[in-house]
């Protein structure tokens, strides 16, 4: 099915129409014509773009996993459907302090795991949906930092 047909089919499912129509009405009222046309174009012809983004994310994910796997004290699971890598550093007790040091000392931006709740402390998050060359450069700087520094 095309995306537009899937949307129409969703509305024909019993009960969904009653709930969905008010949401569609209030969320789409007053939408500019150019935005409506762009949305139709994306729904009708966006599959190639989505496929290219998925392929790029997979290649970059594999690059990140390969580098992290070779670093001492790094633990992670390879994500199956994301463009973020969540990973732990042995001995890290303050992800915010560690991230601030990595920014200052290695010029690499990571998100502190503690930002995502108590269970995230001790972890860092890296977005890998980037230009592969810049990603490789950032990974190299991070690897050099980790080999000579200890996390907080």
């Amino acid at each position: 099915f095309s995306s537009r047909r899937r949307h129409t089919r969703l509305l024909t499912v019993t009960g969904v129409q009653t709930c969905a129509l008010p949401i569609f009405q209030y969320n789409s009222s007053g939408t500019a014509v150019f935005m409506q046309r762009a949305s139709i174009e994306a729904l009708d012809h966006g599959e190639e773009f989505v496929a290219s983004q998925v392929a790029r994310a997979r290649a970059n994910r594999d690059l990140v996993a390969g580098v992290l796997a070779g670093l001492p004290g790094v633990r992670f699971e390879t994500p199956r459907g994301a463009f973020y890598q969540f990973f732990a550093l042995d001995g890290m007790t303050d992800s915010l302090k560690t991230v601030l040091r990595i920014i200052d000392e290695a010029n690499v931006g990571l998100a502190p795991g503690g930002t995502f709740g108590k269970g995230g402390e001790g972890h860092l998050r890296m977005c890998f949906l980037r230009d592969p060359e810049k990603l490789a450069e950032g990974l190299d700087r991070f690897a050099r930092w980790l080999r000579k520094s200890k996390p907080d």
Side-chain angles (χ1 to χ4, degrees):
F1 291 119
S2 73
S3 297
R4 197 178 318 173
R5 284 179 48 198
R6 280 190 294 252
H7 177 262
T8 303
R9 188 172 177 194
L10 173 67
L11 290 178
T12 62
V13 175
T14 306
V16 172
Q17 188 173 23
T18 305
C19 297
L21 283 178
I23 294 169
F24 291 144
Q25 178 183 1
Y26 294 114
N27 284 328
S28 63
S29 294
T31 303
V33 172
F34 77 91
M35 293 174 70
Q36 294 175 30
R37 289 184 180 146
S39 297
I40 290 169
E41 190 67 22
L43 290 170
D44 288 346
H45 304 288
E47 297 301 322
E48 185 177 318
F49 173 77
V50 171
S52 72
Q53 292 298 298
V54 169
R56 182 178 185 177
R58 283 185 180 141
N60 287 356
R61 174 203 61 199
D62 294 345
L63 173 64
V64 168
V67 171
L68 293 181
L71 295 175
V74 176
R75 293 174 286 115
F76 67 96
E77 293 287 328
T78 302
R80 295 189 303 183
F83 51 88
Y84 294 105
Q85 177 66 63
F86 211 64
F87 60 99
L89 296 179
D90 288 346
M92 182 170 58
T93 58
D94 190 329
S95 61
L96 179 59
K97 274 187 177 179
T98 299
V99 162
L100 293 174
R101 282 188 49 221
I102 293 169
I103 290 169
D104 289 341
E105 298 169 16
N107 197 28
V108 174
L110 300 169
T115 302
F116 305 100
K118 285 190 228 176
E121 189 53 67
H123 295 77
L124 303 176
R125 188 182 83 164
M126 172 189 299
C127 175
F128 54 78
L129 193 59
R130 302 186 45 93
D131 173 85
E133 289 179 17
K134 289 184 180 191
L135 178 62
E137 180 184 328
L139 285 165
D140 183 56
R141 288 197 310 263
F142 175 68
R144 280 187 273 139
W145 181 87
L146 191 59
R147 287 186 180 110
K148 67 178 184 166
S149 303
K150 293 197 184 290
D152 290 309

